[in-house]
Amino acid sequence: NPKTRVCGDGIPLRSVENCREMTIFVVSNIRTMNRIVAPSMLSADFGHLERDTQMIDRSAAEWVHIDVMDGVFVPNISFGFPVMKAIRKATSKLLDVHLMIDRPIRYAEEFIKAGADWLTIHLESDQPQNTLACLDKIRAMGCKAAISLKPKTPAEAAIPYLTKCDMVLVMTVEPGFGGQKFMADMMPKVQAIRGYIDAMNPACELEVDGGVDGDTCKLCIASGANVLVAGSAVYKAADIPAKIKELRG
């Protein structure tokens, strides 16, 4: 389906978050974007990871999202190599691995060997030269490379890395915990990054993560995102396959 793009004439769109009006910009040369849904294993039942992974494997979702946290970069600890390898065995879907860890260049190779198809690192987790080197390393190993921005990191911080990226992830919650409230005020950042991508690297995907559900996903798509990470909205749904189809549109 044709999706709304950014940086053109303004039209008002009422925020699904708090019913206040915000402006979504539409560009004249609308093109079709492939909408991708990546259910987050952070919201799965950790006691039944194989079951919940295989449920996603049988669904219409294209990717499986894995949040890796080290307790240093974010105040939480989640999956390590052994768990990720187990998830890899349970699904044929692409693994979208989001590293919320300090100095990810130290571990990128191991996560790729463990089965990552996409590997996302945070701009805030290391010095710029190391971030660039890490992106080069990821791509050299045949994995898709991505950068992520926390809510307080401005959109323009992504610019120096865009030519080395296959995807940009915009956090719509503070990273570290699932089930948080969607930050609608991140949509201008999504719009801005969509503009940068279109100008510098049109093949680059644009992902959003945090508080994405059947309502907020519409705001994300209208702002230019095409990859939706959804955790609680999927795993708390009465009908998980139906919820994934709803998110796919």
Side-chain angles (χ1 to χ4, degrees):
N1 297 325
K3 303 300 189 298
T4 305
R5 307 308 300 279
V6 301
C7 300
D9 298 327
I11 61 171
L13 178 69
R14 188 167 296 278
S15 167
V16 297
E17 163 86 272
N18 53 19
C19 294
R20 63 181 176 81
E21 294 217 334
M22 65 183 295
T23 299
I24 296 297
F25 295 100
V26 184
V27 76
S28 57
N29 60 333
I30 297 175
R31 69 171 175 85
T32 298
M33 289 190 295
N34 181 32
R35 190 187 304 192
I36 294 168
V37 174
S40 174
M41 297 305 297
L42 191 63
S43 296
D45 183 343
F46 283 18
H48 298 90
L49 275 180
E50 182 178 29
R51 179 202 67 190
D52 285 3
T53 303
Q54 291 176 343
M55 185 187 310
I56 300 305
D57 196 61
R58 295 189 297 268
S59 78
E62 292 85 354
W63 299 356
V64 174
H65 188 82
I66 301 176
D67 289 305
V68 177
M69 309 178 195
D70 64 356
V72 177
F73 182 68
V74 293
N76 197 5
I77 296 174
S78 61
F79 306 106
F81 303 122
V83 174
M84 187 179 149
K85 288 177 181 178
I87 293 173
R88 174 72 285 171
K89 291 179 181 179
T91 181
S92 61
K93 304 283 187 181
L94 297 179
L95 295 189
D96 174 29
V97 181
H98 178 194
L99 299 185
M100 288 174 271
I101 65 175
D102 184 55
R103 294 170 289 163
I105 194 169
R106 299 174 297 162
Y107 300 108
E109 182 175 350
E110 292 304 315
F111 278 105
I112 294 170
K113 288 180 178 178
D117 296 291
W118 291 78
L119 196 61
T120 301
I121 62 175
H122 268 268
L123 296 188
E124 308 89 353
S125 64
D126 208 339
Q127 295 300 312
Q129 65 271 22
N130 291 335
T131 298
L132 289 167
C134 190
L135 292 172
D136 286 337
K137 185 174 187 176
I138 293 168
R139 299 183 88 181
M141 292 187 68
C143 185
K144 297 290 189 180
I147 55 170
S148 181
L149 289 76
K150 288 183 175 183
K152 292 181 182 179
T153 302
E156 56 268 25
I159 293 174
Y161 308 95
L162 284 181
T163 58
K164 293 180 179 288
C165 286
D166 298 293
M167 183 169 70
V168 177
L169 166 57
V170 176
M171 294 300 300
T172 46
V173 297
E174 288 293 340
F177 296 91
Q180 297 183 62
K181 192 175 182 180
F182 178 78
M183 299 171 69
D185 58 353
M186 290 297 104
M187 293 304 97
K189 181 193 290 189
V190 175
Q191 295 167 32
I193 292 177
R194 170 51 65 189
Y196 300 150
I197 287 173
D198 286 350
M200 300 175 64
N201 185 4
C204 186
E205 311 280 5
L206 181 51
E207 183 175 56
V208 288
D209 182 2
V212 176
D213 60 25
D215 292 323
T216 60
C217 74
K218 298 170 187 175
L219 193 57
C220 296
I221 294 297
S223 297
N226 70 299
V227 183
L228 306 171
V229 177
S232 299
V234 168
Y235 282 104
K236 290 183 179 180
D239 186 336
I240 289 176
K243 177 57 67 173
I244 290 171
K245 287 182 180 179
E246 177 189 349
L247 291 168
R248 289 192 77 238

Short mmCIF file of all heavy atoms in Angstrom, two decimals, residues 37-97:
data_model
loop_
_atom_site.label_atom_id
_atom_site.label_comp_id
_atom_site.label_asym_id
_atom_site.label_seq_id
_atom_site.Cartn_x
_atom_site.Cartn_y
_atom_site.Cartn_z
N VAL A 37 6.80 -6.11 10.17
CA VAL A 37 6.50 -6.22 11.60
C VAL A 37 7.51 -7.16 12.25
O VAL A 37 7.77 -8.26 11.74
CB VAL A 37 5.07 -6.74 11.83
CG1 VAL A 37 4.81 -6.99 13.31
CG2 VAL A 37 4.05 -5.75 11.28
N ALA A 38 8.08 -6.72 13.36
CA ALA A 38 9.08 -7.50 14.08
C ALA A 38 8.66 -7.64 15.54
O ALA A 38 8.95 -6.77 16.37
CB ALA A 38 10.45 -6.82 13.99
N PRO A 39 7.94 -8.69 15.90
CA PRO A 39 7.54 -8.89 17.31
C PRO A 39 8.77 -9.02 18.21
O PRO A 39 9.75 -9.69 17.85
CB PRO A 39 6.75 -10.19 17.26
CG PRO A 39 6.24 -10.29 15.86
CD PRO A 39 7.34 -9.71 15.03
N SER A 40 8.71 -8.35 19.35
CA SER A 40 9.85 -8.33 20.27
C SER A 40 9.78 -9.47 21.29
O SER A 40 8.81 -9.58 22.04
CB SER A 40 9.90 -6.99 21.02
OG SER A 40 10.91 -7.02 22.00
N MET A 41 10.83 -10.26 21.33
CA MET A 41 10.89 -11.39 22.26
C MET A 41 11.01 -10.92 23.71
O MET A 41 10.82 -11.72 24.63
CB MET A 41 12.06 -12.29 21.91
CG MET A 41 11.98 -12.94 20.54
SD MET A 41 10.44 -13.85 20.28
CE MET A 41 10.59 -15.14 21.52
N LEU A 42 11.29 -9.65 23.94
CA LEU A 42 11.36 -9.14 25.30
C LEU A 42 10.02 -9.26 26.02
O LEU A 42 9.97 -9.33 27.25
CB LEU A 42 11.82 -7.67 25.28
CG LEU A 42 12.21 -7.05 26.63
CD1 LEU A 42 13.42 -7.76 27.23
CD2 LEU A 42 12.49 -5.56 26.46
N SER A 43 8.94 -9.30 25.24
CA SER A 43 7.60 -9.41 25.83
C SER A 43 7.06 -10.83 25.82
O SER A 43 5.94 -11.08 26.26
CB SER A 43 6.62 -8.49 25.08
OG SER A 43 6.98 -7.14 25.24
N ALA A 44 7.86 -11.78 25.33
CA ALA A 44 7.44 -13.18 25.31
C ALA A 44 7.52 -13.77 26.71
O ALA A 44 8.06 -13.16 27.64
CB ALA A 44 8.32 -13.96 24.34
N ASP A 45 6.98 -14.96 26.85
CA ASP A 45 7.08 -15.70 28.11
C ASP A 45 8.44 -16.39 28.15
O ASP A 45 8.70 -17.33 27.39
CB ASP A 45 5.96 -16.74 28.16
CG ASP A 45 5.93 -17.52 29.48
OD1 ASP A 45 6.94 -17.50 30.22
OD2 ASP A 45 4.90 -18.16 29.75
N PHE A 46 9.34 -15.91 29.02
CA PHE A 46 10.70 -16.44 29.06
C PHE A 46 10.74 -17.92 29.45
O PHE A 46 11.72 -18.61 29.19
CB PHE A 46 11.57 -15.62 30.02
CG PHE A 46 12.02 -14.29 29.46
CD1 PHE A 46 11.39 -13.72 28.38
CD2 PHE A 46 13.09 -13.62 30.03
CE1 PHE A 46 11.79 -12.50 27.86
CE2 PHE A 46 13.52 -12.40 29.52
CZ PHE A 46 12.86 -11.83 28.43
N GLY A 47 9.67 -18.40 30.07
CA GLY A 47 9.61 -19.81 30.42
C GLY A 47 9.19 -20.68 29.25
O GLY A 47 9.28 -21.91 29.33
N HIS A 48 8.74 -20.03 28.17
CA HIS A 48 8.27 -20.78 26.99
C HIS A 48 8.76 -20.07 25.72
O HIS A 48 7.99 -19.82 24.79
CB HIS A 48 6.75 -20.89 26.97
CG HIS A 48 6.19 -21.63 28.13
ND1 HIS A 48 5.83 -21.02 29.31
CD2 HIS A 48 5.94 -22.96 28.31
CE1 HIS A 48 5.38 -21.93 30.17
NE2 HIS A 48 5.43 -23.11 29.58
N LEU A 49 10.05 -19.77 25.67
CA LEU A 49 10.59 -19.02 24.54
C LEU A 49 10.47 -19.79 23.23
O LEU A 49 10.18 -19.20 22.19
CB LEU A 49 12.06 -18.65 24.79
CG LEU A 49 12.32 -17.38 25.60
CD1 LEU A 49 13.81 -17.15 25.75
CD2 LEU A 49 11.67 -16.17 24.94
N GLU A 50 10.70 -21.09 23.27
CA GLU A 50 10.60 -21.87 22.03
C GLU A 50 9.17 -21.82 21.50
O GLU A 50 8.94 -21.58 20.31
CB GLU A 50 11.02 -23.32 22.27
CG GLU A 50 10.98 -24.15 20.98
CD GLU A 50 11.44 -25.58 21.21
OE1 GLU A 50 11.29 -26.10 22.34
OE2 GLU A 50 11.97 -26.18 20.25
N ARG A 51 8.20 -22.01 22.39
CA ARG A 51 6.79 -21.96 21.98
C ARG A 51 6.46 -20.60 21.37
O ARG A 51 5.84 -20.51 20.29
CB ARG A 51 5.90 -22.23 23.18
CG ARG A 51 4.40 -22.16 22.89
CD ARG A 51 3.60 -21.92 24.16
NE ARG A 51 3.85 -20.59 24.72
CZ ARG A 51 3.43 -20.20 25.92
NH1 ARG A 51 2.75 -21.03 26.69
NH2 ARG A 51 3.69 -18.97 26.35
N ASP A 52 6.86 -19.53 22.07
CA ASP A 52 6.50 -18.19 21.61
C ASP A 52 7.25 -17.80 20.34
O ASP A 52 6.73 -17.06 19.50
CB ASP A 52 6.76 -17.17 22.72
CG ASP A 52 5.70 -17.24 23.82
OD1 ASP A 52 4.82 -18.11 23.74
OD2 ASP A 52 5.77 -16.42 24.76
N THR A 53 8.48 -18.29 20.19
CA THR A 53 9.22 -18.03 18.96
C THR A 53 8.58 -18.75 17.78
O THR A 53 8.40 -18.18 16.70
CB THR A 53 10.69 -18.49 19.10
OG1 THR A 53 11.30 -17.83 20.21
CG2 THR A 53 11.48 -18.17 17.84
N GLN A 54 8.19 -19.99 17.98
CA GLN A 54 7.56 -20.76 16.91
C GLN A 54 6.20 -20.20 16.54
O GLN A 54 5.77 -20.29 15.38
CB GLN A 54 7.46 -22.23 17.31
CG GLN A 54 8.82 -22.92 17.38
CD GLN A 54 8.76 -24.34 17.87
OE1 GLN A 54 7.76 -24.77 18.48
NE2 GLN A 54 9.81 -25.09 17.64
N MET A 55 5.53 -19.57 17.50
CA MET A 55 4.26 -18.92 17.21
C MET A 55 4.47 -17.77 16.23
O MET A 55 3.71 -17.60 15.27
CB MET A 55 3.64 -18.38 18.51
CG MET A 55 2.26 -17.78 18.34
SD MET A 55 1.67 -16.99 19.86
CE MET A 55 1.95 -18.27 21.06
N ILE A 56 5.54 -17.00 16.45
CA ILE A 56 5.88 -15.92 15.52
C ILE A 56 6.32 -16.50 14.18
O ILE A 56 6.01 -15.96 13.11
CB ILE A 56 6.97 -15.03 16.12
CG1 ILE A 56 6.50 -14.40 17.44
CG2 ILE A 56 7.38 -13.93 15.13
CD1 ILE A 56 5.20 -13.63 17.35
N ASP A 57 7.03 -17.60 14.23
CA ASP A 57 7.52 -18.24 13.01
C ASP A 57 6.36 -18.63 12.09
O ASP A 57 6.49 -18.60 10.87
CB ASP A 57 8.35 -19.48 13.37
CG ASP A 57 9.19 -19.97 12.21
OD1 ASP A 57 10.05 -19.20 11.74
OD2 ASP A 57 8.99 -21.11 11.78
N ARG A 58 5.23 -18.97 12.67
CA ARG A 58 4.07 -19.39 11.88
C ARG A 58 3.17 -18.21 11.49
O ARG A 58 2.19 -18.39 10.76
CB ARG A 58 3.23 -20.41 12.66
CG ARG A 58 3.94 -21.73 12.93
CD ARG A 58 2.98 -22.76 13.52
NE ARG A 58 2.46 -22.34 14.81
CZ ARG A 58 3.02 -22.66 15.98
NH1 ARG A 58 4.13 -23.38 16.01
NH2 ARG A 58 2.47 -22.26 17.12
N SER A 59 3.50 -17.03 11.97
CA SER A 59 2.66 -15.85 11.75
C SER A 59 3.07 -15.10 10.48
O SER A 59 4.00 -15.49 9.77
CB SER A 59 2.78 -14.90 12.94
OG SER A 59 4.00 -14.17 12.89
N ALA A 60 2.38 -13.97 10.24
CA ALA A 60 2.67 -13.12 9.07
C ALA A 60 3.82 -12.16 9.33
O ALA A 60 4.20 -11.41 8.42
CB ALA A 60 1.41 -12.34 8.70
N ALA A 61 4.39 -12.16 10.53
CA ALA A 61 5.52 -11.29 10.83
C ALA A 61 6.73 -11.68 9.98
O ALA A 61 6.97 -12.86 9.73
CB ALA A 61 5.89 -11.36 12.31
N GLU A 62 7.49 -10.68 9.56
CA GLU A 62 8.66 -10.95 8.73
C GLU A 62 9.92 -11.19 9.55
O GLU A 62 10.78 -11.97 9.14
CB GLU A 62 8.92 -9.77 7.77
CG GLU A 62 7.87 -9.59 6.69
CD GLU A 62 6.67 -8.80 7.13
OE1 GLU A 62 6.57 -8.45 8.33
OE2 GLU A 62 5.82 -8.49 6.29
N TRP A 63 10.06 -10.51 10.68
CA TRP A 63 11.27 -10.58 11.50
C TRP A 63 10.92 -10.95 12.93
O TRP A 63 9.77 -10.84 13.37
CB TRP A 63 11.99 -9.22 11.54
CG TRP A 63 12.47 -8.69 10.23
CD1 TRP A 63 12.41 -9.28 9.00
CD2 TRP A 63 13.08 -7.40 10.02
NE1 TRP A 63 12.95 -8.47 8.04
CE2 TRP A 63 13.37 -7.30 8.63
CE3 TRP A 63 13.41 -6.34 10.85
CZ2 TRP A 63 13.98 -6.17 8.08
CZ3 TRP A 63 14.02 -5.22 10.31
CH2 TRP A 63 14.30 -5.14 8.93
N VAL A 64 11.94 -11.37 13.67
CA VAL A 64 11.86 -11.54 15.12
C VAL A 64 12.86 -10.56 15.74
O VAL A 64 14.04 -10.57 15.38
CB VAL A 64 12.21 -12.99 15.54
CG1 VAL A 64 12.25 -13.11 17.06
CG2 VAL A 64 11.20 -13.97 14.96
N HIS A 65 12.37 -9.74 16.64
CA HIS A 65 13.21 -8.70 17.25
C HIS A 65 13.75 -9.19 18.59
O HIS A 65 12.99 -9.66 19.45
CB HIS A 65 12.39 -7.42 17.46
CG HIS A 65 13.19 -6.24 17.91
ND1 HIS A 65 13.92 -5.45 17.04
CD2 HIS A 65 13.39 -5.72 19.15
CE1 HIS A 65 14.51 -4.48 17.72
NE2 HIS A 65 14.21 -4.63 19.01
N ILE A 66 15.06 -9.07 18.78
CA ILE A 66 15.70 -9.52 20.01
C ILE A 66 16.44 -8.34 20.65
O ILE A 66 17.36 -7.78 20.06
CB ILE A 66 16.68 -10.68 19.74
CG1 ILE A 66 15.94 -11.85 19.11
CG2 ILE A 66 17.39 -11.10 21.01
CD1 ILE A 66 16.84 -13.01 18.72
N ASP A 67 16.03 -7.97 21.85
CA ASP A 67 16.66 -6.87 22.59
C ASP A 67 17.74 -7.43 23.51
O ASP A 67 17.44 -8.21 24.42
CB ASP A 67 15.62 -6.12 23.42
CG ASP A 67 14.68 -5.31 22.55
OD1 ASP A 67 15.17 -4.48 21.77
OD2 ASP A 67 13.45 -5.51 22.65
N VAL A 68 18.97 -7.01 23.28
CA VAL A 68 20.10 -7.46 24.10
C VAL A 68 20.54 -6.30 25.00
O VAL A 68 20.89 -5.23 24.52
CB VAL A 68 21.28 -7.92 23.21
CG1 VAL A 68 22.47 -8.31 24.07
CG2 VAL A 68 20.84 -9.07 22.31
N MET A 69 20.50 -6.52 26.31
CA MET A 69 20.83 -5.48 27.29
C MET A 69 21.89 -5.99 28.24
O MET A 69 21.87 -7.15 28.64
CB MET A 69 19.58 -5.09 28.08
CG MET A 69 18.38 -4.74 27.22
SD MET A 69 16.95 -4.35 28.25
CE MET A 69 15.64 -4.45 27.03
N ASP A 70 22.81 -5.08 28.62
CA ASP A 70 23.97 -5.51 29.42
C ASP A 70 23.96 -5.00 30.86
O ASP A 70 24.88 -5.29 31.63
CB ASP A 70 25.26 -5.08 28.74
CG ASP A 70 25.41 -3.56 28.62
OD1 ASP A 70 24.47 -2.82 29.01
OD2 ASP A 70 26.46 -3.11 28.13
N GLY A 71 22.95 -4.22 31.25
CA GLY A 71 22.93 -3.67 32.60
C GLY A 71 23.87 -2.50 32.80
O GLY A 71 23.97 -1.96 33.91
N VAL A 72 24.56 -2.10 31.74
CA VAL A 72 25.48 -0.95 31.80
C VAL A 72 24.95 0.18 30.93
O VAL A 72 24.69 1.28 31.42
CB VAL A 72 26.90 -1.36 31.33
CG1 VAL A 72 27.83 -0.14 31.32
CG2 VAL A 72 27.46 -2.45 32.22
N PHE A 73 24.77 -0.08 29.65
CA PHE A 73 24.23 0.94 28.75
C PHE A 73 22.78 1.26 29.10
O PHE A 73 22.34 2.41 28.98
CB PHE A 73 24.35 0.48 27.30
CG PHE A 73 23.86 1.48 26.30
CD1 PHE A 73 24.53 2.67 26.09
CD2 PHE A 73 22.70 1.24 25.57
CE1 PHE A 73 24.07 3.60 25.17
CE2 PHE A 73 22.22 2.16 24.65
CZ PHE A 73 22.92 3.35 24.45
N VAL A 74 22.04 0.24 29.50
CA VAL A 74 20.67 0.41 30.00
C VAL A 74 20.55 -0.34 31.33
O VAL A 74 21.27 -1.30 31.56
CB VAL A 74 19.62 -0.10 29.00
CG1 VAL A 74 19.59 0.74 27.74
CG2 VAL A 74 19.86 -1.56 28.64
N PRO A 75 19.64 0.09 32.20
CA PRO A 75 19.53 -0.52 33.54
C PRO A 75 18.71 -1.80 33.55
O PRO A 75 17.77 -1.95 34.34
CB PRO A 75 18.88 0.59 34.36
CG PRO A 75 18.00 1.30 33.38
CD PRO A 75 18.76 1.27 32.07
N ASN A 76 19.05 -2.73 32.69
CA ASN A 76 18.34 -4.00 32.63
C ASN A 76 19.25 -5.01 31.95
O ASN A 76 20.17 -4.63 31.22
CB ASN A 76 17.03 -3.86 31.85
CG ASN A 76 16.07 -5.00 32.10
OD1 ASN A 76 16.32 -5.87 32.94
ND2 ASN A 76 14.96 -5.01 31.38
N ILE A 77 19.02 -6.28 32.18
CA ILE A 77 19.78 -7.35 31.55
C ILE A 77 18.78 -8.30 30.90
O ILE A 77 17.77 -8.67 31.50
CB ILE A 77 20.65 -8.11 32.58
CG1 ILE A 77 21.70 -7.16 33.17
CG2 ILE A 77 21.32 -9.31 31.94
CD1 ILE A 77 22.52 -7.77 34.30
N SER A 78 19.07 -8.71 29.66
CA SER A 78 18.12 -9.59 28.97
C SER A 78 18.83 -10.81 28.40
O SER A 78 19.34 -11.65 29.13
CB SER A 78 17.37 -8.82 27.88
OG SER A 78 18.26 -8.31 26.91
N PHE A 79 18.90 -10.90 27.07
CA PHE A 79 19.38 -12.10 26.40
C PHE A 79 20.89 -12.08 26.18
O PHE A 79 21.48 -11.03 25.92
CB PHE A 79 18.71 -12.26 25.03
CG PHE A 79 17.21 -12.24 25.07
CD1 PHE A 79 16.50 -11.13 24.63
CD2 PHE A 79 16.50 -13.33 25.55
CE1 PHE A 79 15.11 -11.12 24.65
CE2 PHE A 79 15.11 -13.32 25.58
CZ PHE A 79 14.42 -12.22 25.13
N GLY A 80 21.50 -13.25 26.23
CA GLY A 80 22.90 -13.42 25.86
C GLY A 80 23.01 -14.38 24.70
O GLY A 80 22.01 -14.77 24.07
N PHE A 81 24.24 -14.79 24.39
CA PHE A 81 24.48 -15.66 23.24
C PHE A 81 23.71 -16.99 23.29
O PHE A 81 23.11 -17.39 22.29
CB PHE A 81 25.98 -15.94 23.08
CG PHE A 81 26.81 -14.70 22.93
CD1 PHE A 81 27.84 -14.43 23.81
CD2 PHE A 81 26.57 -13.80 21.91
CE1 PHE A 81 28.62 -13.30 23.68
CE2 PHE A 81 27.34 -12.65 21.76
CZ PHE A 81 28.37 -12.39 22.65
N PRO A 82 23.71 -17.72 24.42
CA PRO A 82 23.02 -19.03 24.43
C PRO A 82 21.53 -18.92 24.13
O PRO A 82 20.97 -19.74 23.38
CB PRO A 82 23.27 -19.55 25.85
CG PRO A 82 24.50 -18.85 26.31
CD PRO A 82 24.40 -17.48 25.70
N VAL A 83 20.86 -17.91 24.70
CA VAL A 83 19.42 -17.75 24.46
C VAL A 83 19.17 -17.37 23.00
O VAL A 83 18.25 -17.89 22.36
CB VAL A 83 18.83 -16.69 25.41
CG1 VAL A 83 17.37 -16.42 25.07
CG2 VAL A 83 18.96 -17.15 26.85
N MET A 84 20.01 -16.49 22.48
CA MET A 84 19.84 -16.09 21.09
C MET A 84 20.03 -17.27 20.14
O MET A 84 19.30 -17.43 19.16
CB MET A 84 20.81 -14.98 20.74
CG MET A 84 20.55 -14.41 19.36
SD MET A 84 21.65 -13.08 18.94
CE MET A 84 21.72 -13.31 17.17
N LYS A 85 21.01 -18.11 20.42
CA LYS A 85 21.22 -19.30 19.59
C LYS A 85 20.00 -20.23 19.63
O LYS A 85 19.62 -20.83 18.61
CB LYS A 85 22.47 -20.04 20.05
CG LYS A 85 23.77 -19.33 19.72
CD LYS A 85 24.97 -20.09 20.26
CE LYS A 85 26.27 -19.36 19.95
NZ LYS A 85 27.46 -20.07 20.53
N ALA A 86 19.37 -20.33 20.80
CA ALA A 86 18.17 -21.16 20.93
C ALA A 86 17.02 -20.59 20.12
O ALA A 86 16.26 -21.32 19.46
CB ALA A 86 17.78 -21.28 22.40
N ILE A 87 16.87 -19.26 20.14
CA ILE A 87 15.82 -18.61 19.34
C ILE A 87 16.09 -18.83 17.86
O ILE A 87 15.18 -19.09 17.08
CB ILE A 87 15.74 -17.11 19.69
CG1 ILE A 87 15.25 -16.91 21.12
CG2 ILE A 87 14.83 -16.38 18.70
CD1 ILE A 87 15.30 -15.48 21.60
N ARG A 88 17.36 -18.73 17.48
CA ARG A 88 17.73 -18.94 16.08
C ARG A 88 17.30 -20.32 15.59
O ARG A 88 16.82 -20.48 14.45
CB ARG A 88 19.24 -18.77 15.93
CG ARG A 88 19.85 -19.09 14.56
CD ARG A 88 19.53 -18.06 13.50
NE ARG A 88 18.15 -18.14 13.01
CZ ARG A 88 17.59 -17.23 12.21
NH1 ARG A 88 18.27 -16.18 11.82
NH2 ARG A 88 16.35 -17.38 11.81
N LYS A 89 17.44 -21.33 16.43
CA LYS A 89 17.06 -22.69 16.06
C LYS A 89 15.55 -22.86 15.93
O LYS A 89 15.08 -23.76 15.24
CB LYS A 89 17.59 -23.68 17.09
CG LYS A 89 19.11 -23.84 17.09
CD LYS A 89 19.55 -24.82 18.16
CE LYS A 89 21.07 -24.96 18.18
NZ LYS A 89 21.50 -25.90 19.26
N ALA A 90 14.80 -21.98 16.60
CA ALA A 90 13.34 -22.15 16.65
C ALA A 90 12.60 -21.40 15.56
O ALA A 90 11.38 -21.52 15.45
CB ALA A 90 12.82 -21.70 18.02
N THR A 91 13.31 -20.63 14.72
CA THR A 91 12.62 -19.85 13.70
C THR A 91 13.46 -19.73 12.43
O THR A 91 14.69 -19.71 12.49
CB THR A 91 12.27 -18.44 14.21
OG1 THR A 91 11.56 -17.72 13.18
CG2 THR A 91 13.50 -17.65 14.59
N SER A 92 12.75 -19.62 11.32
CA SER A 92 13.41 -19.35 10.05
C SER A 92 13.29 -17.87 9.67
O SER A 92 13.81 -17.44 8.64
CB SER A 92 12.79 -20.21 8.94
OG SER A 92 11.40 -19.91 8.80
N LYS A 93 12.61 -17.09 10.53
CA LYS A 93 12.47 -15.66 10.27
C LYS A 93 13.83 -14.96 10.44
O LYS A 93 14.74 -15.46 11.10
CB LYS A 93 11.47 -15.04 11.26
CG LYS A 93 10.09 -15.67 11.28
CD LYS A 93 9.25 -15.26 10.12
CE LYS A 93 7.81 -15.78 10.27
NZ LYS A 93 6.96 -15.41 9.15
N LEU A 94 13.92 -13.76 9.86
CA LEU A 94 15.12 -12.95 10.05
C LEU A 94 15.20 -12.47 11.50
O LEU A 94 14.19 -12.02 12.06
CB LEU A 94 15.12 -11.76 9.10
CG LEU A 94 15.16 -12.07 7.60
CD1 LEU A 94 15.13 -10.78 6.80
CD2 LEU A 94 16.40 -12.88 7.25
N LEU A 95 16.37 -12.56 12.10
CA LEU A 95 16.58 -12.08 13.46
C LEU A 95 17.09 -10.65 13.44
O LEU A 95 18.18 -10.36 12.92
CB LEU A 95 17.56 -12.98 14.21
CG LEU A 95 17.12 -14.41 14.48
CD1 LEU A 95 18.12 -15.10 15.43
CD2 LEU A 95 15.70 -14.49 15.06
N ASP A 96 16.30 -9.77 14.01
CA ASP A 96 16.59 -8.34 14.11
C ASP A 96 17.11 -8.09 15.53
O ASP A 96 16.32 -7.98 16.47
CB ASP A 96 15.29 -7.57 13.83
CG ASP A 96 15.41 -6.07 14.03
OD1 ASP A 96 16.52 -5.54 13.85
OD2 ASP A 96 14.37 -5.45 14.36
N VAL A 97 18.42 -8.01 15.67
CA VAL A 97 19.05 -7.98 16.99
C VAL A 97 19.46 -6.55 17.35
O VAL A 97 20.25 -5.93 16.64
CB VAL A 97 20.27 -8.92 17.05
CG1 VAL A 97 20.90 -8.89 18.44
CG2 VAL A 97 19.86 -10.34 16.68
#
